[in-house]
Amino acid sequence: MNRTISIIGCGWLGLPLSKELAKIGHQVHGSTTQEMKIPLIEGANVKPYLLDINHKGIKNNVFFDSEIIIITLPPSSDNYEENISRLIEAIEYNTISKVIFISSSSVYPNTNKRVKESDAKRIISKHSGVALLDIENQFIKNKNFESSILRFAGLYGPDRHPGRFLKRKSQLAGGMNPVNLIHLDDCLAIIKTIIEKDAWGYIFNACADEHPTRKEFYTAASQSLGLPKPEFTKEDTDFKIVDSSYLKTTLSYQFLHPDPMVDLEAE
């Protein structure tokens, strides 16, 4: 069944997601704060909207005249908590009955073991000052609509090489720690699966099956970018392994990119 879907934020994730959903027949609204992005959104057969959620009164914007909304805003954006409150007000005011909120595996502390959905803690980010678990709860506990939360691991894919930050670092710690990553293709496919299966009211971890060590992975990443091989200190650091078994079982989903190392070898 085709739906009307609004996507907040047509960036690295939101724009290809808009294109994919439009391609399979959904009527898609895509928001941006930059007028220069309008042709890109239109080129994806998506209806573009200039929308600045920093401003009051957004609930009257026809962008919100849809059944489903997907929120891809990174918590690093300014006034994040206020903007989320404003978005929830707009959702309640309009016809939207379903929400997908893109969260992060940063809700888990480094416990040196596998973490499942129930292991999340209220952690205030040092970078944004936001506790993502508080934001998630605003959606999950709201009785005016149904929400599903996706806790993505580290994102990689086109124009987002996993070794890109090595240009700024010559030494890394925790060489034997596992990495937690997910490819853009899987991000898109999982979101499409949630919509197709009407999987609402869930919280899912989303991370590739395999977790190579940091030393193994970033050494290969540096070689694929033609960068000097990174050095690893002897310092031990805490880690976590993000477990996506609940998502795989509930949605009958198999990852398209189960092993990030294979993607490096293919380049």
Side-chain angles (χ1 to χ4, degrees):
M1 181 175 64
N2 295 334
R3 270 78 176 267
T4 303
I5 303 173
S6 294
I7 297 179
I8 290 280
C10 285
W12 183 82
L13 172 62
L15 184 60
L17 175 61
S18 300
K19 185 175 182 179
E20 282 293 310
L21 292 174
K23 187 187 299 183
I24 59 178
H26 297 296
Q27 181 181 337
V28 184
H29 302 167
S31 81
T32 181
T33 59
Q34 303 175 49
E35 192 168 355
M36 61 182 292
K37 280 192 173 181
I38 294 294
L40 287 175
I41 298 173
E42 289 178 328
N45 292 320
V46 172
K47 189 171 183 178
Y49 289 83
L50 276 174
L51 184 71
D52 186 351
I53 59 175
N54 283 291
H55 295 161
K56 296 179 180 180
I58 61 168
K59 67 181 183 181
N60 296 308
N61 196 304
V62 292
F63 168 82
F64 293 99
D65 185 14
S66 60
E67 177 188 354
I68 298 170
I69 190 167
I70 303 171
I71 301 170
T72 70
L73 295 177
S76 57
S77 57
D78 293 337
N79 305 315
Y80 187 75
E81 292 167 310
E82 292 179 22
N83 289 341
I84 291 296
S85 295
R86 203 169 286 125
L87 276 177
I88 289 174
E89 181 184 0
I91 291 167
E92 293 173 336
Y93 183 79
N94 287 277
T95 59
I96 295 167
S97 60
K98 308 284 192 277
V99 176
I100 296 176
F101 177 70
I102 305 302
S103 187
S104 164
S105 59
S106 64
V107 296
Y108 301 110
N110 291 325
T111 56
N112 299 323
K113 62 181 183 181
R114 301 185 79 87
V115 291
K116 296 186 177 181
E117 286 77 3
S118 59
D119 296 319
K121 302 293 182 184
R122 186 180 184 275
I123 301 170
I124 298 177
S125 169
K126 295 178 181 178
H127 303 290
S128 65
V130 172
L132 267 179
L133 193 61
D134 290 348
I135 304 297
E136 291 183 3
N137 285 333
Q138 289 186 54
F139 289 100
I140 285 292
K141 294 180 179 181
N142 195 303
K143 302 301 182 183
N144 296 298
F145 49 80
E146 293 182 286
S147 299
S148 282
I149 309 295
L150 276 175
R151 294 173 178 163
F152 283 146
L155 304 171
Y156 76 101
D159 301 319
R160 198 179 182 115
H161 193 284
R164 65 197 182 282
F165 81 102
L166 293 173
K167 295 178 181 179
R168 303 188 301 272
K169 295 185 178 182
S170 58
Q171 284 195 331
L172 301 175
M176 299 311 294
N177 290 359
V179 299
N180 299 290
L181 295 169
I182 183 170
H183 193 281
L184 176 63
D185 291 344
D186 281 302
C187 297
L188 305 184
I190 290 167
I191 292 170
K192 288 193 293 183
T193 301
I194 287 174
I195 294 170
E196 290 165 5
K197 297 195 173 187
D198 277 321
W200 307 107
Y202 292 95
I203 298 174
F204 292 123
N205 287 346
C207 179
D209 296 328
E210 300 299 324
H211 306 267
T213 67
R214 283 168 59 84
K215 184 173 183 178
E216 177 185 22
F217 184 78
Y218 287 111
T219 297
S222 66
Q223 292 173 341
S224 69
L225 287 173
L227 297 173
K229 180 180 176 180
E231 295 181 9
F232 286 85
T233 67
K234 295 182 180 180
E235 177 187 0
D236 290 329
T237 59
D238 293 329
F239 65 88
K240 61 197 169 202
I241 300 175
V242 179
D243 188 329
S244 297
S245 56
Y246 181 59
L247 178 146
K248 293 174 65 178
T249 300
T250 305
L251 299 181
S252 299
Y253 185 79
Q254 295 298 316
F255 277 82
L256 304 172
H257 297 260
D259 187 353
M261 285 295 295
V262 173
D263 292 323
L264 292 179
E265 293 166 1
E267 292 186 357

